[in-house]
Amino acid sequence: MHWQTRRFLLDLSRPRVMGIVNVTPDSFSDGGRHDDARAAIAHCERLVAEGADILDIGGESTRPGSPRVDADSEWARIADVLAAAVTLGVPVSVDTYKPDVMRRALDAGADIINDVQALQLPGALAAVAGRGAGVCLMHMRGDPASMMELAVYGDVVAEVGRFLAQRAQAAMASGIPAGCIALDPGYGFAKTAAHNLQLLAGQRRLAALGHPLLAGWSRKRTLGELTGRAVHERLPASLAAALRAVSAGAHVVRVHDVAATVDALKVWTAVDAAKIDFSETKEPAP
Ligand code: HH2
């Protein structure tokens, strides 16, 4: 499988790592750490050196209850970071649900638009269609203020799958090529810990929709609930979740801790390669 982005065709025959760059004062795990452009650019460089296959730059936190930011302020946060990131040799994604920010990001050379609202805002499909960009369509309900009240499902895997299939159809109907579209279950968005775990257990059904699948478990609250760990103590839990996501069909994992995830996936893929070698080896004579 491949994911077509603006400048790069990503080969997904091995799992890929999307490194998170939050240029925000208030993101749930790294708020304020890279909120001036210089620090954020240095972070981009570091993540690429650590082996990130994609950078994902965000200028507004989606943490439950976080304040909304207007398009001009969001753009002001990310513009210089994006301009530097597109020179680093990897595809650059911009995490935004605002059509105005999408347009400006694409004008500035972004390769992917990562939208937690799955291009549902008026004007979002039109902002992306015809630009050759990759898109990531994520499932959520409501907005960060209201989403946890909307965490009510019968069969969470089926409902998320139906939503993602509908949004992929809408994107294709607006002229976005199928090969540009990745899907994301939206772990932690309008979902309880039980929903997140059910979704991960059933994630293969979402991979079967035929689009690249992206999974974002890094440092999320469900991992804190399972382990009792504070947000900066969740690396082992995040690695376990990333590997489970890949084994359940995820092609891209969105993470804060790139170096550790790259190492974990190197071991994972080495075992897969060894399986092929062994299948071709004759049993030794008894
Ligand atoms: N999670 C977050 C933000 N954007 N995009 C996709 N496609 N999938 C995700 O799971 C996802 C996402 C939340 O994490 P983070 O960016 O670390 O925090 P914040 O929203 O507080 O900046």
Side-chain angles (χ1 to χ4, degrees), residues 21-221:
V21 182
N22 283 324
V23 199
T24 54
D26 55 350
S27 283
F28 79 96
S29 82
D30 54 2
R33 290 196 54 200
H34 318 295
D35 67 343
D36 77 71
R38 238 171 357 120
I41 292 166
H43 192 57
C44 290
E45 289 166 355
R46 187 174 136 214
L47 296 187
V48 171
E50 289 179 357
D53 299 296
I54 307 169
L55 294 173
D56 187 38
I57 301 172
E60 178 182 307
S61 172
T62 52
R63 172 176 62 81
S66 59
R68 300 303 90 216
V69 176
D70 65 61
D72 285 341
S73 314
E74 184 179 332
W75 178 247
R77 285 179 182 176
I78 66 171
D80 290 349
V81 185
L82 175 60
V86 296
T87 68
L88 296 178
V90 299
V92 179
S93 160
V94 171
D95 187 345
T96 186
Y97 59 86
K98 298 188 188 84
D100 197 25
V101 176
M102 291 173 189
R103 252 188 309 273
R104 292 196 230 183
L106 292 169
D107 289 346
D111 298 286
I112 297 167
I113 297 296
N114 170 27
D115 183 0
V116 298
Q117 296 282 1
L119 301 180
Q120 290 184 100
L121 257 67
L125 286 166
V128 178
R131 305 294 304 263
V135 294
C136 179
L137 306 176
M138 196 196 82
H139 175 272
M140 79 178 288
R141 287 178 174 170
D143 59 29
S146 66
M147 64 183 176
M148 290 321 288
E149 295 155 24
L150 302 171
V152 182
Y153 301 87
D155 177 342
V156 68
V157 183
E159 286 170 56
V160 168
R162 252 195 315 274
F163 172 88
L164 292 176
Q166 279 165 3
R167 293 312 302 158
Q169 279 303 330
M172 289 185 284
S174 79
I176 299 172
C180 291
I181 301 171
L183 304 176
D184 184 335
Y187 291 109
F189 288 86
K191 293 160 194 99
T192 63
H195 293 137
N196 291 322
L197 295 171
Q198 287 160 13
L199 258 179
L200 182 51
Q203 194 193 258
R204 281 241 162 250
R205 284 160 63 194
L206 305 180
L209 293 171
H211 291 275
L213 197 67
L214 196 142
W217 271 92
S218 187
R219 301 182 186 172
K220 282 192 177 163
R221 184 205 303 230

Side-chain angles (χ1 to χ4, degrees), residues 15-16 200 203-204 215 241-253 265 268 272:
R16 298 288 174 168
L200 182 51
Q203 194 193 258
R204 281 241 162 250
L243 293 182
R244 277 308 288 250
V246 168
S247 77
H251 302 92
V252 180
V253 287
L265 288 171
W268 181 269
D272 277 347

